[in-house]
Amino acid sequence: MNFKKVMMYGAISAAACFAACNSDKKGTAESESAFEVTCDEFADLQVLRYQIPGFEELSAQQKELAYYLYEAANCGRDIYYDQKYKHNLRIRKTLEAILNNYAGNKESADWKKFETYAKRVFFSTGIHHHYSNIKFVPEFNFAYFSELVNTLDASLLPLDNMSKEDFLKMMQPIMFDPNVDAKTVNLASGIDNVKGSANNFYEGVTQAEVEAYYAARINPNDTTPISWGLNSKMVKENGTLIEKVWKSGGMYGAAIDRIVYWLEKAVTVAENDKQKKALSLLVEYYKTGDLKKFDEYSIAWVEDTESRLDVVNGFIEVYEDAIGKRASFESVVSLKDMEATKRIAAIAKEAQWFEDNSPLTPEHKKKNVKGITAKVITVIQEAGASNPSTPIGINLPNANWIRQQHGSKSVSLGNIVHSYNIVGAKSPMMKEFALTEEEIKRNSEHGAIASDLHTDMHEVIGHASGQINPGIGDPDQTLKNYASTLEEARADLVALYYVMDPKLVEMGVMPSLEVGKCEYDNYIRNGLITQLTRLQIGENLEEAHMRNRQLNASWAYEKGKAENVIEYVKKDGKTYVKVNDYDKLRVIFGQLLKEIQRIKSEGDFAAGQALVENYGVKVDQALLKEVKNRFEKLNVAAYKGFIQPKLVPVMDGEKITDVKVEYPSNWLEDQLWRSKNYSFLPVNN
Ligand code: ZN
């Protein structure tokens, strides 16, 4: 199983200057100009806002459907907190009790630090950084925390029958010691990745035990293999491994029942029979926890291509489990952007041409690329793992066999990208990290379309391409902790290879190869330099997308070194990179694509491990120091996320007659509102 989503392109993307945007036409001129995109900024984070253009055009029934799906999304909020770390809900509820009830001095420096900490916990859905996965500790001390807790009545706190004293004793290491449960997911090589990860997917089991458990269940000749482990926590009871399944009546049952409640309402106002079938299967899956049902649902979901509204809701991405079995809850509710979908549909139509003309070894090419449905969506609501930090492209379902036999849906999140573009156009990142005026100019002319095309090609063509050799089964099981990085690298390389192809100009989706050059400049600069802004001194790369970008960029640098294809330049004590030969770089990207596809097609773990470890992990610490230094002077938040709109039904008695959209602008208030309305789980699951 893979992590098939594209995030904004490291710091550069959040910062790149995108001149135009395909969603410009959508809102009215007044609402576009009046709408404030920025919301809040704290630590290394910035909260942005997005609008839902097109919502007003929906029929009353579609709006009602959107509202039910919105509620179903938000009902899973607690699940994701608990999945990330078993103490997250207790910590969050403690912070909320203090925020809602503390009556003392709210002007002190300590209180400000407390608020910042709470905002960060809400942003990261817990106490581990949403991107680096490393635990962050409060800037106020334990004595101050104790003082806050002690001012509150015991009934307001999640004490679970503990005395306040015992409660504080328990909370101290959890919140204040960075070495206790230091990382939610730990992908380091040479360790037990299950034991080394603080997430709540396993308890009391070793990686070897888990792997043996599933090895006994996986039949490599099964053409419709179940995604074992996707919807459960694994624990050891009386010496036996047990899966605690997330379903009605099971673990997380209280929240899942609320999701089911709203999904069942959604079924009654579905747009058509295909959508009704998909939603009904999702309900059945949540009720039974049966993973075969989930596959049936996924197939029905892929087949529903006509509906204007769509939803992802479930345990989807396995990226937060170090060994890629268990999935995080997420939901994305959306409506199709009819106009912007035309570009992505044009690309999807040529999928077979792209496969036939790719640099892959012939036996690794798909003879018959199946049903890639591509569209640009307008997000209505995101919850769980897709919020507040959001993908800009999503390609689902994840099961390789469903993708091969039934196809997949690929989407680009248009209104999210639009908000990024607005803040990006004002960012000083390009000026600091681009070497030449030519690059800056090219980026301001073509950066937006280059980025859009990269996302489209990555999702629609990249993830869908390639053929697995017979008898290999699911290669991601073999490639283990390197599977996600290699899969993302493969999809990026497909995009990079074709963005310099005249075919895209012929198709009318880009004006000239200048777009490709712009993409090469930005990709290489980001992969070798600017994405380092996201790391702390001393760190190496961990996150799959970051690893993949450095892998692709530094492999290309090394292969082209003799011919000076990519060059490091020192100027005024600052390091830059420069692409000297775009055509040769394209050939090199093609070579790496061919090799990574071979690794995937054959399930060659040793070669995959060597590639990732040699090119995608280690960071030049002197360069990192320099980059951090330059970045800090710019005062740009390294990470961005979004505050979600609210849908408010207009009722006539029991009946919903209309749905209004509200756009909150206070991060803390909005999070407290969500906690008040969507808390369904106890602190101890
Ligand atoms: Zn991807």
Short mmCIF file of all heavy atoms in Angstrom, two decimals, residues 3-6 393 395 458-459 463 487-488 491-492 545, ligand 1:
data_model
loop_
_atom_site.label_atom_id
_atom_site.label_comp_id
_atom_site.label_asym_id
_atom_site.label_seq_id
_atom_site.Cartn_x
_atom_site.Cartn_y
_atom_site.Cartn_z
N PHE A 3 1.40 5.69 -0.20
CA PHE A 3 0.96 6.98 0.25
C PHE A 3 0.79 7.81 -1.00
O PHE A 3 1.72 8.41 -1.48
CB PHE A 3 2.07 7.50 1.14
CG PHE A 3 1.79 8.83 1.72
CD1 PHE A 3 0.70 9.04 2.52
CD2 PHE A 3 2.65 9.88 1.46
CE1 PHE A 3 0.46 10.28 3.07
CE2 PHE A 3 2.42 11.12 2.02
CZ PHE A 3 1.33 11.30 2.82
N LYS A 4 -0.40 7.76 -1.57
CA LYS A 4 -0.53 8.36 -2.89
C LYS A 4 -1.15 9.73 -2.81
O LYS A 4 -2.25 9.97 -3.28
CB LYS A 4 -1.36 7.46 -3.78
CG LYS A 4 -0.64 6.16 -4.04
CD LYS A 4 -1.34 5.31 -5.03
CE LYS A 4 -0.64 4.01 -5.22
NZ LYS A 4 -0.63 3.20 -4.00
N LYS A 5 -0.46 10.61 -2.17
CA LYS A 5 -0.95 11.98 -2.22
C LYS A 5 0.22 12.92 -2.39
O LYS A 5 1.34 12.61 -2.01
CB LYS A 5 -1.77 12.32 -0.98
CG LYS A 5 -1.03 12.26 0.32
CD LYS A 5 -1.93 12.70 1.45
CE LYS A 5 -1.22 12.64 2.78
NZ LYS A 5 -2.07 13.02 3.89
N VAL A 6 -0.04 14.03 -2.96
CA VAL A 6 1.01 15.02 -3.18
C VAL A 6 0.79 16.15 -2.20
O VAL A 6 -0.30 16.68 -2.09
CB VAL A 6 0.91 15.62 -4.59
CG1 VAL A 6 2.10 16.53 -4.85
CG2 VAL A 6 0.84 14.53 -5.61
N GLY A 393 -3.05 17.00 -4.03
CA GLY A 393 -3.50 16.00 -5.00
C GLY A 393 -3.69 14.68 -4.28
O GLY A 393 -2.97 14.37 -3.34
N ASN A 395 -4.76 10.41 -4.96
CA ASN A 395 -5.04 9.35 -5.91
C ASN A 395 -5.40 8.09 -5.13
O ASN A 395 -4.58 7.54 -4.42
CB ASN A 395 -3.81 9.11 -6.78
CG ASN A 395 -4.09 8.14 -7.90
OD1 ASN A 395 -4.83 7.17 -7.74
ND2 ASN A 395 -3.51 8.39 -9.05
N HIS A 458 1.87 13.59 -11.90
CA HIS A 458 2.25 12.72 -10.79
C HIS A 458 1.07 11.80 -10.43
O HIS A 458 1.23 10.59 -10.32
CB HIS A 458 2.65 13.60 -9.60
CG HIS A 458 2.91 12.88 -8.31
ND1 HIS A 458 4.16 12.81 -7.75
CD2 HIS A 458 2.10 12.20 -7.46
CE1 HIS A 458 4.10 12.11 -6.62
NE2 HIS A 458 2.85 11.74 -6.42
N GLU A 459 -0.10 12.41 -10.30
CA GLU A 459 -1.27 11.65 -9.85
C GLU A 459 -1.87 10.80 -10.96
O GLU A 459 -2.12 9.62 -10.77
CB GLU A 459 -2.35 12.62 -9.34
CG GLU A 459 -1.99 13.36 -8.07
CD GLU A 459 -1.87 12.44 -6.87
OE1 GLU A 459 -2.32 11.29 -6.94
OE2 GLU A 459 -1.29 12.88 -5.87
N HIS A 463 1.37 7.56 -10.66
CA HIS A 463 0.99 6.44 -9.79
C HIS A 463 0.30 5.32 -10.56
O HIS A 463 0.33 4.17 -10.15
CB HIS A 463 0.08 6.93 -8.67
CG HIS A 463 0.81 7.63 -7.56
ND1 HIS A 463 1.90 7.06 -6.94
CD2 HIS A 463 0.62 8.84 -6.97
CE1 HIS A 463 2.35 7.90 -6.01
NE2 HIS A 463 1.59 8.98 -6.02
N GLU A 487 7.71 4.87 -4.21
CA GLU A 487 6.50 5.10 -4.99
C GLU A 487 6.35 6.58 -5.33
O GLU A 487 5.99 6.95 -6.45
CB GLU A 487 5.27 4.60 -4.22
CG GLU A 487 3.94 4.86 -4.88
CD GLU A 487 3.79 4.21 -6.26
OE1 GLU A 487 4.54 3.26 -6.57
OE2 GLU A 487 2.94 4.67 -7.03
N GLU A 488 6.61 7.44 -4.36
CA GLU A 488 6.53 8.88 -4.62
C GLU A 488 7.60 9.31 -5.62
O GLU A 488 7.35 10.15 -6.49
CB GLU A 488 6.66 9.68 -3.32
CG GLU A 488 5.49 9.50 -2.36
CD GLU A 488 4.14 9.64 -3.03
OE1 GLU A 488 3.97 10.52 -3.89
OE2 GLU A 488 3.25 8.84 -2.71
N ALA A 491 6.44 8.35 -9.12
CA ALA A 491 5.40 9.23 -9.65
C ALA A 491 5.97 10.61 -10.02
O ALA A 491 5.61 11.18 -11.05
CB ALA A 491 4.26 9.37 -8.65
N ASP A 492 6.86 11.13 -9.18
CA ASP A 492 7.51 12.41 -9.50
C ASP A 492 8.30 12.31 -10.80
O ASP A 492 8.29 13.22 -11.63
CB ASP A 492 8.49 12.82 -8.37
CG ASP A 492 7.83 13.73 -7.34
OD1 ASP A 492 6.63 14.04 -7.49
OD2 ASP A 492 8.54 14.15 -6.39
N HIS A 545 7.94 12.06 1.12
CA HIS A 545 8.02 12.98 -0.02
C HIS A 545 9.34 13.73 -0.04
O HIS A 545 9.92 13.99 -1.08
CB HIS A 545 6.86 13.97 -0.01
CG HIS A 545 5.53 13.34 -0.26
ND1 HIS A 545 4.83 12.69 0.73
CD2 HIS A 545 4.79 13.21 -1.38
CE1 HIS A 545 3.71 12.23 0.23
NE2 HIS A 545 3.65 12.53 -1.05
ZN ZN B 1 2.09 10.63 -4.82
#
